[in-house]
PDB file of all heavy atoms in Angstrom:
ATOM      1  N   PHE A 343      92.935  93.562 119.379  1.00 87.00           N
ATOM      2  CA  PHE A 343      92.526  94.388 120.510  1.00 87.00           C
ATOM      3  C   PHE A 343      93.705  94.523 121.489  1.00 87.00           C
ATOM      4  O   PHE A 343      94.399  93.620 121.804  1.00 87.00           O
ATOM      5  CB  PHE A 343      91.353  93.708 121.193  1.00 87.00           C
ATOM      6  CG  PHE A 343      90.889  94.378 122.467  1.00 87.00           C
ATOM      7  CD1 PHE A 343      90.064  95.403 122.457  1.00 87.00           C
ATOM      8  CD2 PHE A 343      91.357  93.872 123.679  1.00 87.00           C
ATOM      9  CE1 PHE A 343      89.633  96.068 123.649  1.00 87.00           C
ATOM     10  CE2 PHE A 343      90.956  94.496 124.891  1.00 87.00           C
ATOM     11  CZ  PHE A 343      90.102  95.587 124.814  1.00 87.00           C
ATOM     12  N   ARG A 344      93.898  95.805 121.909  1.00 87.00           N
ATOM     13  CA  ARG A 344      94.990  96.063 122.862  1.00 87.00           C
ATOM     14  C   ARG A 344      94.401  96.639 124.141  1.00 87.00           C
ATOM     15  O   ARG A 344      93.514  97.554 124.090  1.00 87.00           O
ATOM     16  CB  ARG A 344      96.005  97.016 122.263  1.00 87.00           C
ATOM     17  CG  ARG A 344      96.790  96.463 121.092  1.00 87.00           C
ATOM     18  CD  ARG A 344      97.618  95.299 121.549  1.00 87.00           C
ATOM     19  NE  ARG A 344      98.537  95.525 122.602  1.00 87.00           N
ATOM     20  CZ  ARG A 344      99.767  95.926 122.421  1.00 87.00           C
ATOM     21  NH1 ARG A 344     100.260  96.015 121.200  1.00 87.00           N
ATOM     22  NH2 ARG A 344     100.602  96.159 123.416  1.00 87.00           N
ATOM     23  N   PHE A 345      94.832  96.205 125.265  1.00 86.00           N
ATOM     24  CA  PHE A 345      94.400  96.679 126.549  1.00 86.00           C
ATOM     25  C   PHE A 345      95.587  96.867 127.467  1.00 86.00           C
ATOM     26  O   PHE A 345      96.506  96.066 127.470  1.00 86.00           O
ATOM     27  CB  PHE A 345      93.387  95.696 127.163  1.00 86.00           C
ATOM     28  CG  PHE A 345      92.935  96.004 128.592  1.00 86.00           C
ATOM     29  CD1 PHE A 345      91.983  96.968 128.806  1.00 86.00           C
ATOM     30  CD2 PHE A 345      93.496  95.362 129.654  1.00 86.00           C
ATOM     31  CE1 PHE A 345      91.590  97.234 130.104  1.00 86.00           C
ATOM     32  CE2 PHE A 345      93.141  95.652 130.966  1.00 86.00           C
ATOM     33  CZ  PHE A 345      92.170  96.618 131.208  1.00 86.00           C
ATOM     34  N   ARG A 346      95.484  97.925 128.289  1.00 87.00           N
ATOM     35  CA  ARG A 346      96.582  98.121 129.293  1.00 87.00           C
ATOM     36  C   ARG A 346      95.994  98.667 130.584  1.00 87.00           C
ATOM     37  O   ARG A 346      95.162  99.585 130.563  1.00 87.00           O
ATOM     38  CB  ARG A 346      97.623  99.092 128.686  1.00 87.00           C
ATOM     39  CG  ARG A 346      98.733  99.446 129.736  1.00 87.00           C
ATOM     40  CD  ARG A 346      99.901 100.133 129.018  1.00 87.00           C
ATOM     41  NE  ARG A 346     100.528  99.294 128.030  1.00 87.00           N
ATOM     42  CZ  ARG A 346     101.472  99.699 127.206  1.00 87.00           C
ATOM     43  NH1 ARG A 346     101.817 100.970 127.201  1.00 87.00           N
ATOM     44  NH2 ARG A 346     101.980  98.822 126.322  1.00 87.00           N
ATOM     45  N   LEU A 356      92.905 102.666 132.837  1.00 89.00           N
ATOM     46  CA  LEU A 356      92.640 101.571 131.848  1.00 89.00           C
ATOM     47  C   LEU A 356      92.617 102.202 130.456  1.00 89.00           C
ATOM     48  O   LEU A 356      91.947 103.198 130.243  1.00 89.00           O
ATOM     49  CB  LEU A 356      91.271 100.985 132.180  1.00 89.00           C
ATOM     50  CG  LEU A 356      91.040 100.425 133.604  1.00 89.00           C
ATOM     51  CD1 LEU A 356      89.664  99.797 133.698  1.00 89.00           C
ATOM     52  CD2 LEU A 356      92.127  99.398 133.962  1.00 89.00           C
ATOM     53  N   GLU A 357      93.313 101.574 129.558  1.00 91.00           N
ATOM     54  CA  GLU A 357      93.337 101.962 128.142  1.00 91.00           C
ATOM     55  C   GLU A 357      92.993 100.796 127.268  1.00 91.00           C
ATOM     56  O   GLU A 357      93.475  99.690 127.565  1.00 91.00           O
ATOM     57  CB  GLU A 357      94.701 102.563 127.768  1.00 91.00           C
ATOM     58  CG  GLU A 357      95.068 103.784 128.461  1.00 91.00           C
ATOM     59  CD  GLU A 357      96.484 104.231 128.047  1.00 91.00           C
ATOM     60  OE1 GLU A 357      97.452 103.725 128.605  1.00 91.00           O
ATOM     61  OE2 GLU A 357      96.622 105.085 127.148  1.00 91.00           O
TER      62      GLU A 357
END
Side-chain angles (χ1 to χ4, degrees):
F343 175 83
R344 293 300 301 268
F345 173 80
R346 177 169 296 172
L356 307 180
E357 295 177 276

